[in-house]
Amino acid sequence: MNHRLGRAVAMATAGLVLAGCGGAGGPSSDKPELKITGAYMPVPVSSDMAAGFFTVTNSGAADTLTSVTSGIAEDVTMHSTENGAMREKKSFTVPANGTLDFARGGNHLMFDMLTHKPKQGERVSVRLHFATSGTITVEMPVKSATYTPKTRH
Ligand code: CU
């Protein structure tokens, strides 16, 4: 392949990427940069329901967690805890250059109608769906029922 042609192809590709950003990214071309850490599921006490926790760290533009799915449950819902009462939420904002925490006593995932009861030490595959970043799959280790992470942040 001659060099001139190679360069032309590279430039055309760069042009496409830029056009794509301007079209879908809104006023800012910054994109979310998401990282999921500290994910775990306390071993469920009942055979039909489990909870899940994790932290989303974002070093870019804001994004939105729109839904969660998993092969372990027929239904996964997202809940917040406000004044001690839990409330189902349709979505959660991941702030720009910030974090979204799912932790005991606060936001949590609820897995309903489990397809099987996970055991401690098992890993549960959970798919987090974000408006901009798309789907991020997390392998959630199943911990003891009383497990809490030692340090946060
Ligand atoms: Cu709940």
Side-chain angles (χ1 to χ4, degrees):
M1 189 199 221
N2 79 49
H3 287 101
R4 205 171 276 173
L5 181 58
R7 183 167 293 181
V9 169
M11 286 179 72
T13 308
L16 278 177
V17 170
L18 287 174
C21 276
S28 163
S29 63
D30 281 348
K31 286 182 174 164
E33 291 283 344
L34 306 185
K35 216 175 89 183
I36 316 295
T37 54
Y40 72 98
M41 171 184 283
V43 69
V45 276
S46 91
S47 58
D48 55 12
M49 198 168 45
F53 305 103
F54 57 92
T55 299
V56 186
T57 305
N58 185 7
S59 51
D63 204 345
T64 306
L65 176 63
T66 55
S67 67
V68 179
T69 54
S70 173
I72 194 99
E74 299 285 327
D75 189 39
V76 186
T77 49
M78 305 182 286
H79 293 215
S80 67
T81 305
E82 287 157 36
N83 303 317
M86 80 176 187
R87 169 183 284 188
E88 186 173 342
K89 299 242 294 183
K90 290 259 181 291
S91 65
F92 279 89
T93 300
V94 188
N97 299 302
T99 57
L100 169 64
D101 253 329
F102 279 67
R104 284 187 195 272
N107 303 330
H108 55 278
L109 298 180
M110 288 188 70
F111 300 80
D112 281 312
M113 294 176 277
L114 297 179
T115 53
H116 83 273
K117 188 177 174 180
K119 292 188 180 68
Q120 194 171 329
E122 201 176 318
R123 281 180 174 269
V124 173
S125 188
V126 177
R127 291 180 297 277
L128 308 177
H129 306 284
F130 294 92
T132 306
S133 302
T135 299
I136 298 177
T137 302
V138 180
E139 299 300 320
M140 230 175 226
V142 180
K143 302 285 194 179
S144 74
T146 53
Y147 173 85
T148 9
K150 280 188 209 106
T151 49
R152 306 197 60 83
H153 306 304

